[in-house]
Each structure stands twice: as structure tokens, then as C-alpha cells.
């Protein structure tokens, strides 16, 4: 089965926010992505609304519900009460919980499951009782996987930022792929599914999928948006889908 592609629209929103104008349209680019075969859309509405705004979240839910039933909405964020209230109102198909501090420039680490699994478990159960699949952002650390399982989550999302940063160093890339692959193997052996995301590109994705053929979903924004500036969103989504085996 092909790895599903969820297009992250944060970068489109960040470009839009440069001016008090409605273009580039977040829903417009989301529509192009879904029209061209993306399985879903991802956003990470951060507390400062630096890119995706809370209003975008409702607009994208309406887009999927009215024009693309069967496609999925994935909302990422730190499980503050405000975030949990937002996702319980919008009911995305998947919620990806990340341990981001509001001041972080971007997501740059996964959960410390060893020390946080007891805190996360009731939040996971609360979201699952609302019909949402729960994925937890995870570093490529095999010894954390059992603790991740103990949260009751459906999936982990492998943080692939360190892998994305090895684009100029073949040996480092191979080492990161093995770390990611070993972590994925451990998660799958415990009955969890595995997503991946952060700094993935059409260049580095093939080797990752070759090592983790059962990768359920990749969520990609920065690198995909960079390509879309050069090739257009429709052609770019098609290029990524081909790499995903669609
Ligand atoms: C969780 C993750 O790695 C990304 O999905 C995240 O959305 C990146 O956030 P920014 O787009 O704010 O860098
Ligand atoms: N979860 C990763 C994501 O949604 C997009 O990350 P990036 O491709 O913008 O680095």
C-alpha cells in the first residue's frame, strides 16, 4: 500500500500573512493538493498564529467536508486546553500532538515518552473517545517506543528533521535512516502505525520509504511548497505522490 501524502499548508499561510490580503489562498492551495491526489491536509495552528490561523482550520474542515469527503484533516499542536477545545470542535480525522513550546521557531523534537507517557495517556484517550486518531511526535529513539505504546496512541510520527538536514552528507543520511527505520520497526512490532514528517523532500523521501515500506503517512509542507513555487502545486503534488508509490 502506498504511503499517504498529507500536504502541510503552514508555509502558504505564512506567505499570505505578509499582507492584509486573502492571497495566496490557504483553502485554494489545499483544494489543488486534494484535486491532484493528496490524501489529506495538515496544519499546525501555533498560539501566535504566525502562519495557520484558527480561522483557516474551520475553512479547511469545510473544504474537506463539502468537496473532498474521504480525504483527511490532520491538525498538529501542543495539547493545551485551547488546542484540545479547537480539535474537539473541528474533529479532524487525525490529531498529531507535539511538545512544542510557543516560542519555538519550529517543531524540533519529539516527546520524552519515558517521563511524559502518564501525562499523555488521558489526553490520547480523550481525543480517541471523540473519534480522532492520535499520532504522537517522536524522535528516532528505539528505547522510547514502548513508553509511546503505553500512551495508547494509534501512531507515532517520526521527526525527520535530523534526516532532512543530512542532504550534503551521505554517511550521516544513512545513519539517520537506520535510526528512523529501527524506531519504526519497533513501533510496528508493538502494533502502532508510523507516520513521518519534517524537512522531507522529493529527493530524500525515496530512501526513507524504501527503509520503511509500511510508512502510513508523510506530512510535508516546507519542501513541497518550495517546489510548488518552481513547478506549481498540481505538478509538485503529483511528483511527491509518485515517490510515495501512488
Ligand atoms: C510537526 C512538524 O514537524 C511540522 O508539521 C510543523 O508543522 C512545522 O511547523 P512550522 O511550519 O511552524 O515550522
Ligand atoms: N509533520 C510535518 C509536517 O507537517 C510538515 O513539516 P515540513 O515539511 O514543513 O518540515
Amino acid at each position: 500500500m502506498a504511503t499517504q501524502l498529507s500536504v502541510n499548508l503552514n508555509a502558504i499561510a505564512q506567505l499570505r500573512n505578509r499582507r492584509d490580503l486573502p492571497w495566496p489562498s490557504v483553502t485554494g492551495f489545499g483544494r489543488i493538493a486534494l484535486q491532484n491526489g493528496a490524501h489529506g491536509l495538515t496544519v499546525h495552528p501555533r498560539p501566535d498564529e504566525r502562519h495557520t490561523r484558527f480561522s483557516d482550520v474551520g475553512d479547511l474542515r469545510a473544504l474537506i467536508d463539502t468537496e473532498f469527503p474521504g480525504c483527511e484533516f490532520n491538525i498538529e499542536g501542543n495539547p493545551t486546553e485551547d488546542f484540545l477545545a479547537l480539535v474537539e470542535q473541528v474533529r479532524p480525522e487525525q490529531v498529531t500532538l507535539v511538545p512544542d513550546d510557543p516560542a519555538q521557531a519550529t517543531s524540533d523534537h519529539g516527546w520524552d515518552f519515558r517521563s511524559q507517557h502518564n501525562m499523555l495517556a488521558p489526553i490520547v484517550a480523550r481525543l480517541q473517545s471523540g473519534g480522532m486518531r492520535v499520532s504522537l511526535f517522536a524522535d528516532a529513539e528505539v528505547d522510547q517506543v514502548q513508553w509511546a505504546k503505553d500512551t495508547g496512541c494509534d501512531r507515532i510520527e517520526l521527526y525527520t528533521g535530523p534526516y532532512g538536514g543530512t542532504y550534503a552528507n551521505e554517511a550521516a543520511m544513512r545513519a539517520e535512516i537506520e535510526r528512523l527505520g529501527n524506531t519504526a520497526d519497533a513501533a510496528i512490532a508493538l502494533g502502532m502505525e508510523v507516520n513521518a514528517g519534517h524537512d522531507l523532500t522529493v529527493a530524500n523521501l525515496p530512501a526513507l520509504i524504501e527503509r520503511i515500506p509500511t510508512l502510513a503517512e508523510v506530512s510535508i509542507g516546507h519542501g513541497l511548497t518550495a517546489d510548488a513555487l518552481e513547478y506549481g502545486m498540481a505538478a509538485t503534488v503529483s511528483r511527491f505522490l509518485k515517490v510515495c508509490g501512488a
Side-chain angles (χ1 to χ4, degrees):
M1 182 172 176
T3 299
Q4 295 182 327
L5 173 65
S6 186
V7 174
N8 186 307
L9 296 168
N10 289 349
I12 300 293
Q14 197 146 23
L15 190 57
R16 182 219 33 215
N17 292 357
R18 291 183 73 246
R19 300 283 169 82
D20 187 16
L21 293 168
W23 61 83
S25 166
V26 171
T27 51
F29 276 90
R31 179 179 289 110
I32 295 170
L34 297 177
Q35 283 173 338
N36 285 276
H39 171 73
L41 301 175
T42 292
V43 290
H44 190 148
R46 295 184 182 273
D48 60 10
E49 294 190 293
R50 66 188 71 166
H51 40 54
T52 299
R53 294 170 176 156
F54 300 124
S55 58
D56 293 319
V57 175
D59 294 344
L60 291 167
R61 177 77 277 176
L63 172 72
I64 292 169
D65 288 349
T66 56
E67 300 181 37
F68 301 96
C71 287
E72 292 201 340
F73 196 16
N74 174 42
I75 303 179
E76 304 173 325
N78 187 311
T80 63
E81 197 48 50
D82 285 349
F83 177 81
L84 293 172
L86 173 68
V87 295
E88 285 177 329
Q89 179 192 353
V90 172
R91 303 272 174 189
E93 284 67 32
Q94 178 174 269
V95 179
T96 300
L97 300 179
V98 298
D100 290 11
D101 179 279
Q104 270 177 232
T106 187
S107 305
D108 58 15
H109 63 280
W111 293 98
D112 179 358
F113 293 113
R114 188 188 317 274
S115 65
Q116 297 178 301
H117 68 280
N118 284 329
M119 177 275 288
L120 287 166
I123 296 170
V124 170
R126 172 177 166 182
L127 294 169
Q128 289 171 332
S129 69
M132 292 167 267
R133 180 198 314 132
V134 180
S135 179
L136 300 181
F137 208 44
D139 295 315
E141 294 176 7
V142 175
D143 64 359
Q144 289 264 16
V145 172
Q146 178 60 59
W147 302 106
K149 175 67 174 177
D150 291 349
T151 70
C153 68
D154 303 286
R155 298 186 181 179
I156 60 169
E157 175 176 337
L158 293 172
Y159 168 48
T160 51
Y163 170 58
T166 65
Y167 57 89
N169 183 328
E170 179 77 18
M173 187 187 83
R174 292 286 165 215
E176 281 301 324
I177 282 185
E178 267 320 290
R179 288 180 62 225
L180 291 162
N182 293 339
T183 305
D185 293 344
I188 291 162
L190 288 173
M192 290 180 281
E193 293 184 294
V194 178
N195 293 347
H198 207 95
D199 289 340
L200 293 174
T201 67
V202 78
N204 66 27
L205 191 53
L208 183 69
I209 292 178
E210 182 183 9
R211 176 59 182 83
I212 312 172
T214 56
L215 192 59
E217 176 186 279
V218 288
S219 44
I220 307 177
H222 189 77
L224 187 147
T225 304
D227 283 0
L229 290 171
E230 186 168 358
Y231 306 107
M233 180 61 94
T236 294
V237 169
S238 298
R239 289 174 80 219
F240 274 89
L241 285 171
K242 190 174 179 181
V243 170
C244 289

